[in-house]
Amino acid sequence: MSSFKERITDVLVSNGLLTREQLEEALHLQQTSGGSLQTILVARGYISEVSLLSALSQGLGIPPISLSRIKVDPALKSVVSPELARQYQVVPIACMGRTLTVAMADPLNVLALDTLATMTHLKINLLLATPNDLQEAIEAYYGSDVDDTLQEIVKETGASSLEVVRAETEQEPNADQLLSLTQELPVVRLTNALLTNAVHLRASDLLIEPMETRLRVRYRVDGVFQEGEAPPKPLQQAVVSRIKVMAELNIAEHRLPQDGHFSFEVEGRPIDFRISVLPASFGENVVIRILDKDQVKLQLETLGFAPEDLAVLKQCAEQPHGMILATGPTGSGKTTTLYALLRTIDRPEKNLVTVEDPVEYELEGVNQVNTKAEVGLTFAKALRSILRQDPDIIMVGEIRDGETADMAVKSALTGHLVLSTLHTNSAAGTVVRLINMGVEPFLINSSLMAVIGQRLVRKLCPRCKQLYHPPKVVAEKVGLLDAKGQPLELAKAVGCHACSRSGYRGREVIAEVLRLTPAIRELILRRASERELEEEARRQGMRTLREHGLQKTRAHLTSLDEIFRTTIGECVEG
């Protein structure tokens, strides 16, 4: 009789889901480095989680289950403890008589099954679920690790620690007292738990905000803030001081703003954290920018651009000289777009140099320069020095003033490809902004090739999004009617444990790409208004931000509500 592993691999190979060579390589990796065969197959990209789940179910005769569609009885928490669930990645589903039904991703983990049977004194009935499904269900069912850690730390923090913090009501703790407090294990564990939880939530920012009677912790996930579990108010100064120590800031300074950074490992991979400390009414406000390289997409094709816009950008990026600008508000993904463009055109024979404030992600093979305003190294001054380094392609992090704009334009006119960002609300508005910064229209026409106006919209969670037909008056207003004049079928956010009840998971670009055609250049020479430029660009085939967004709603990638929130700030869905 064949073993479990043989039955699984036979199904995978016979159904064409895996080649014999891929299987042998995965087995070799398992023998040399250990770990689950299923995990190795998915991590190597040989098979998707869904296909593997189907194959496992077929090969083992074990039914699959979608955990996002069920509600677990809270009473089962006493049957399978949080520690057991997290250690063996198992979720209890039901208990009937002497039989406990559980969901697992690795049915070959005999040790886990034996331990469950021994600890619960029950017969184990097994269902199959994907690892992601299980991890999200455990967090939703048992609570996140940070919640448990916070509760444990509050209990563990002794009076000696709290006495130092409470002394701030009578006198300010000195630097030695603060440093001693930050080195105590409970404070270290608490701070680490906050940082780890932010990474697990895929947050871009972590805010620690002192209020009059409590401490507030917020995470920016997919561009929207959500409040999380916070340490008690008495531990405020301890946590802030610990973060300062990690970022090598002055823990005795509470009157002036401070900036710093540090790297911290989460699950074996280094994550970069940028720290900004600002004195506020009830203590120091801390904003932490989280730079997780594994979450950043630097492939132009995966950012969400329309195929026609991609073709325009790639064609412009292959030109030997000229300028491409990415525009939009803070947090609209401009720098990521420019990084992806650099990756597209990076070749050994090209000399690529960037000047940024700060360098967000290190790009292999690219010379990256950090501006330092405190010593006079501004964008304009750095750019002037870069031109003496014989670059082919230059990326300027941001055009902030007329001097930088002038240098960028002149660089584009002297045989360099220049990429940069500008804060404007639309692609057409970029031309007007450059003129207002002192750049002559004829210089814009001679240097500028294309302008990208972009925003980031949240993608609907694929597990819980719901199809519906919007009211006819709304569909008619935005042009979402079918050939018979009826509203098109769209999708809207619902919320499940996979998306933290938000209804959205991940973000992608909506964009308008304005290419400088002869007609557009003529308008620029006449110093035409932003509206005139946009109308002509649309006649030339430019798709506006909202039009691109509505295209994504038709494809059920995002919601109509999200497009209106992002492009015109108006909510139309009830």
Side-chain angles (χ1 to χ4, degrees):
M1 185 175 179
S2 60
S3 67
F4 277 179
K5 185 182 293 187
E6 289 171 342
R7 287 157 62 188
I8 295 169
T9 54
D10 284 346
V11 170
L12 291 174
V13 174
S14 62
N15 289 350
L17 299 171
L18 202 67
T19 66
R20 183 63 63 180
E21 292 75 18
Q22 290 172 332
L23 175 60
E24 290 174 356
E25 183 176 347
L27 289 170
H28 176 70
L29 282 172
Q30 186 187 31
Q31 291 171 356
T32 55
S33 59
S36 161
L37 178 62
Q38 295 95 299
T39 302
I40 293 172
L41 291 173
V42 173
R44 300 286 291 184
Y46 294 154
I47 189 171
S48 68
E49 279 193 342
V50 175
S51 298
L52 181 58
L53 183 69
S54 177
L56 286 169
S57 178
Q58 181 182 344
L60 302 177
I62 301 174
I65 186 172
S66 175
L67 295 176
S68 62
R69 299 178 181 274
I70 66 165
K71 186 174 182 180
V72 182
D73 184 356
L76 292 177
K77 289 184 182 180
S78 61
V79 180
V80 178
S81 67
E83 295 76 20
L84 206 59
R86 291 191 178 106
Q87 181 179 356
Y88 294 114
Q89 289 295 287
V90 57
V91 172
I93 304 299
C95 187
M96 300 289 290
R98 303 302 302 166
T99 300
L100 174 67
T101 299
V102 300
M104 287 183 66
D106 187 2
L108 305 183
N109 192 339
V110 179
L111 175 62
L113 294 172
D114 287 346
T115 303
L116 277 173
T118 302
M119 297 290 288
T120 62
H121 305 289
L122 297 171
K123 179 183 177 183
I124 304 301
N125 181 43
L126 190 60
L127 298 176
L128 289 176
T130 66
N132 279 340
D133 238 2
L134 281 163
Q135 185 59 46
E136 289 160 359
I138 290 170
E139 290 179 5
Y141 183 49
Y142 290 102
S144 66
D145 291 337
V146 73
D147 294 339
D148 296 338
T149 305
L150 282 169
Q151 294 170 7
E152 292 171 9
I153 289 171
V154 171
K155 293 177 183 177
E156 292 174 10
T157 306
S160 59
S161 298
L162 291 176
E163 282 172 2
V164 176
V165 182
R166 286 172 180 150
E168 65 181 339
T169 58
E170 300 173 7
Q171 63 179 38
E172 193 72 19
N174 61 40
D176 291 337
Q177 288 174 313
L178 286 173
L179 183 60
S180 174
L181 186 61
T182 62
Q183 294 172 343
E184 294 191 5
L185 182 59
V187 174
V188 173
R189 289 184 59 214
L190 172 56
T191 308
N192 291 352
L194 289 171
L195 298 175
T196 300
N197 195 52
V199 174
H200 286 166
L201 288 172
R202 302 174 296 105
S204 59
D205 299 273
L206 165 63
L207 274 63
I208 301 173
E209 303 166 301
M211 306 181 81
E212 186 172 10
T213 59
R214 69 185 182 96
L215 189 64
R216 182 169 71 170
V217 169
R218 291 192 293 166
Y219 304 93
R220 189 193 289 273
V221 181
D222 295 332
V224 178
F225 280 116
Q226 63 183 51
E227 193 162 346
E229 185 78 17
K233 177 72 173 177
L235 285 176
Q236 169 185 315
Q237 198 166 1
V239 173
V240 172
S241 296
R242 175 62 190 170
I243 291 170
K244 283 184 173 183
V245 168
M246 295 175 76
E248 298 182 353
L249 301 179
N250 184 356
I251 61 173
E253 178 58 72
H254 308 291
R255 300 164 299 173
L256 297 174
Q258 296 188 70
D259 297 313
H261 64 90
F262 62 86
S263 185
F264 178 74
E265 277 200 5
V266 177
E267 295 178 347
R269 69 181 196 274
I271 308 293
D272 292 328
F273 296 88
R274 299 272 164 77
I275 314 301
S276 174
V277 182
L278 181 68
S281 299
F282 302 108
E284 291 175 291
N285 192 67
V286 180
V287 176
I288 304 176
R289 171 61 59 88
I290 301 157
L291 302 174
D292 185 353
K293 296 177 183 178
D294 288 352
Q295 294 291 333
V296 177
K297 300 176 181 177
L298 292 182
Q299 296 295 328
L300 198 60
E301 291 79 7
T302 64
L303 297 182
F305 286 98
E308 313 88 77
D309 293 339
L310 270 177
V312 170
L313 292 178
K314 287 183 176 180
Q315 185 178 358
C316 291
E318 292 296 336
Q319 301 304 310
H321 56 83
M323 186 161 63
I324 302 172
L325 295 178
T327 68
T330 300
S332 58
K334 302 183 297 294
T335 303
T336 300
T337 295
L338 295 189
Y339 278 165
L341 272 172
L342 285 177
R343 286 283 296 270
T344 301
I345 57 182
D346 184 18
R347 297 183 183 88
E349 63 270 17
K350 298 283 187 181
N351 182 14
L352 278 67
V353 184
T354 76
V355 51
E356 306 170 62
D357 180 26
V359 173
E360 292 194 12
Y361 296 99
E362 295 179 1
L363 301 175
E364 187 177 353
V366 178
N367 301 300
Q368 295 174 273
V369 178
N370 246 324
T371 61
K372 296 177 181 177
E374 63 273 15
V375 295
L377 184 59
T378 62
F379 278 112
K381 190 169 184 179
L383 186 52
R384 193 174 289 111
S385 298
I386 285 171
L387 291 174
R388 294 193 287 269
Q389 296 280 316
D390 191 27
D392 297 295
I393 301 165
I394 303 169
M395 186 189 110
V396 182
E398 184 184 345
I399 295 178
R400 295 178 178 173
D401 49 50
E403 185 183 7
T404 307
D406 182 63
M407 286 296 301
V409 167
K410 287 179 179 177
S411 299
L413 291 173
T414 53
H416 306 91
L417 178 64
V418 178
L419 312 178
S420 190
T421 72
L422 198 64
H423 285 278
T424 61
N425 291 326
S426 68
T430 302
V431 175
V432 177
R433 176 74 190 282
L434 287 173
I435 293 175
N436 290 339
M437 293 174 77
V439 182
E440 291 294 334
F442 73 90
L443 290 177
I444 295 174
N445 278 348
S446 300
S447 60
L448 188 60
M449 295 186 292
V451 181
I452 310 162
Q454 68 178 69
R455 302 288 189 277
L456 292 176
V457 295
R458 293 180 294 171
K459 296 190 293 183
L460 285 166
C461 175
R463 302 190 181 199
C464 64
K465 64 182 177 182
Q466 183 178 329
L467 300 180
Y468 78 112
H469 289 90
K472 189 170 182 178
V473 63
V474 174
E476 189 173 14
K477 178 181 177 182
V478 294
L480 292 175
L481 299 175
D482 61 19
K484 297 179 180 179
Q486 297 302 310
L488 293 172
E489 186 178 57
L490 305 180
K492 64 180 178 180
V494 176
C496 65
H497 65 74
C499 58
S500 301
R501 306 296 169 187
S502 70
Y504 299 93
R505 188 172 177 84
R507 291 189 293 175
E508 68 178 29
V509 163
I510 57 170
E512 54 187 24
V513 177
L514 186 154
R515 188 167 190 181
L516 269 69
T517 62
I520 295 292
R521 296 182 194 278
E522 180 65 30
L523 287 175
I524 293 173
L525 282 176
R526 293 198 287 108
R527 296 177 182 261
S529 68
E530 178 179 341
R531 182 168 183 175
E532 289 176 292
L533 288 168
E534 182 173 305
E535 288 175 352
E536 181 58 37
R538 293 185 69 185
R539 283 193 289 271
Q540 300 276 327
M542 184 187 81
R543 180 190 295 102
T544 66
L545 284 168
R546 192 166 78 161
E547 288 168 344
H548 189 201
L550 292 175
Q551 187 179 34
K552 289 183 182 289
T553 66
R554 294 188 187 95
H556 301 164
L557 293 174
T558 190
S559 68
L560 189 59
D561 197 38
E562 178 71 0
I563 295 305
F564 274 83
R565 182 190 71 85
T566 309
T567 58
I568 62 174
E570 178 183 325
C571 178
V572 296
E573 291 180 343

